[in-house]
Amino acid sequence: HGNMLSGTISDEIGQLSALTLLSLFDNRFSGTLPSTLGLCVYLEYLYIHNTNIGGTVPDDVCSLTTKSLSYTEDYWAFSSDCLHGNVSTTPFIMCECCDVCCDHVSHQCIQLDTSILSRTINIKEKLERQVLQRNATFSGMDNDDPRYLALDWLLNKDEMNLGADANNLNQRYILSLLAFSLDSQAWGANGNTPSSEGIAGSTYTSWLSSIDECLWYNVSCSEGEVVGLDLNDYSLIGNIPAEIGGLVSLDYISLQGNCLYGTIPPELGNLTVLRFLGLAQNALSGFIPDSMFSLELLEYLD
């Protein structure tokens, strides 16, 4: 470390099968961390902070934290420029398994609580297993991907601080994904809303608030599960995320009069209790997915 070395880390580093220490900090390395590093199953210490290594730490590397990379009170195990909310507005690298995060600008480092690391890993694994669609994983996403932005909000900005065992974790993530996927000023709306078909009037607050998501603007719930979304004419712009199919208790969706484009996700066919689906007056293209023809309770489709 500290030799002003530059360049990228080669995939061949995984061939150093007996490697126990890799200290690259205070250099000018760039690019991303190769997933082949996960082959170094005896690696105990990995320091890549104060470099220009960015992107996302691969799952194969994070898996070493359950093998050889060991967290202790006396020694750092895995450090990177992953610090949130310090001088840098966003982390330079996304790392969900580092025990030390540093700021890329100020170079300040803090040692994280290992319980936080466990929470991050458990939530990420649960969402990948139960919510993400089409074989997606967080490690393969860009940092500005709405799915990753929703994960970052849930882990680091949501004051509810849910754990992986929370019953509402999945639906809270999916709703936050909607907010990051569809640009709109409606996410900041709050106040009293009139009743409409399928949804009774109530008092709501803005989306991405650190309160129960059932109180977010025009979200309707029954016994803690989301059953309705009334978001017509709110200038929503973007693609409908496939993960909306994970809100399996939805019986009412109104997205009419927006600027939605792309195709209708076939995952809507997972909403077996859906009665009302309003998608008119958008810029959607393609065909109605075959999966939706099995929705036996669907009464209204426009």
Side-chain angles (χ1 to χ4, degrees):
H1 65 271
N3 291 304
M4 305 299 285
L5 299 175
S6 60
T8 59
I9 303 175
S10 171
D11 289 340
E12 278 70 31
I13 195 169
Q15 297 180 19
L16 301 176
S17 58
L19 190 67
T20 60
L21 168 66
L22 182 59
S23 181
L24 303 178
F25 70 94
D26 288 343
N27 282 293
R28 295 179 177 176
F29 292 110
S30 58
T32 58
L33 203 62
S35 61
T36 53
L37 188 60
L39 298 174
C40 301
V41 295
Y42 298 107
L43 189 63
E44 297 179 5
Y45 305 101
L46 175 58
Y47 306 140
I48 60 171
H49 62 282
N50 297 347
T51 67
N52 291 315
I53 298 173
T56 302
V57 174
D59 285 345
D60 289 341
V61 177
C62 277
S63 68
L64 294 175
T65 60
T66 62
K67 300 173 183 175
S68 53
L69 280 173
S70 54
Y71 309 129
T72 70
E73 295 182 359
D74 300 320
Y75 299 100
W76 294 1
F78 188 1
S79 64
S80 73
D81 293 326
C82 54
L83 190 60
H84 289 260
N86 198 37
V87 176
S88 301
T89 55
T90 58
F92 191 77
I93 185 172
M94 301 299 291
C95 181
E96 298 167 356
C97 54
C98 293
D99 64 321
V100 174
C101 279
C102 303
D103 185 271
H104 189 65
V105 176
S106 69
H107 306 308
Q108 176 188 356
C109 298
I110 61 171
Q111 190 162 18
L112 304 180
D113 186 338
T114 55
S115 64
I116 297 176
L117 300 175
S118 297
R119 170 180 176 264
T120 296
I121 293 171
N122 291 339
I123 287 177
K124 173 176 168 288
E125 290 179 348
K126 180 178 180 179
L127 294 176
E128 287 181 335
R129 186 174 63 253
Q130 299 182 4
V131 178
L132 293 187
Q133 298 296 309
R134 305 174 188 180
N135 298 316
T137 62
F138 290 113
S139 62
M141 297 176 188
D142 294 330
N143 291 355
D144 59 354
D145 188 301
R147 294 168 296 180
Y148 208 106
L149 293 174
L151 175 68
D152 179 55
W153 176 81
L154 192 70
L155 291 173
N156 302 299
K157 301 177 179 67
D158 183 11
E159 294 178 4
M160 286 198 74
N161 200 34
L162 296 181
D165 58 347
N167 292 333
N168 62 328
L169 176 70
N170 290 0
Q171 72 175 21
R172 191 169 180 83
Y173 171 78
I174 296 171
L175 291 180
S176 65
L177 172 57
L178 276 174
F180 283 107
S181 297
L182 306 176
D183 292 334
S184 176
Q185 294 182 350
W187 305 136
N190 58 71
N192 296 316
T193 61
S195 60
S196 59
E197 182 178 353
I199 294 183
S202 186
T203 300
Y204 298 102
T205 189
S206 60
W207 284 54
L208 302 181
S209 298
S210 293
I211 62 169
D212 189 338
E213 66 276 4
C214 290
L215 297 176
W216 289 0
Y217 192 67
N218 276 13
V219 174
S220 180
C221 291
S222 176
E223 297 182 352
E225 295 187 357
V226 176
V227 297
L229 297 173
D230 190 4
L231 298 171
N232 57 296
D233 297 317
Y234 284 126
S235 301
L236 305 179
I237 304 172
N239 287 278
I240 302 172
E243 286 73 16
I244 194 173
L247 296 174
V248 294
S249 295
L250 276 174
D251 71 356
Y252 182 96
I253 304 175
S254 180
L255 295 172
Q256 297 154 306
N258 289 294
C259 299
L260 304 179
Y261 51 82
T263 59
I264 300 173
E267 287 79 7
L268 285 176
N270 297 332
L271 306 179
T272 57
V273 298
L274 191 65
R275 297 182 304 102
F276 183 105
L277 178 59
L279 299 174
Q281 300 175 11
N282 282 290
L284 295 168
S285 58
F287 300 93
I288 297 176
D290 291 342
S291 60
M292 293 184 57
F293 292 107
S294 63
L295 298 178
E296 297 179 356
L297 300 181
L298 189 63
E299 301 173 355
Y300 181 93
L301 173 62
D302 185 15

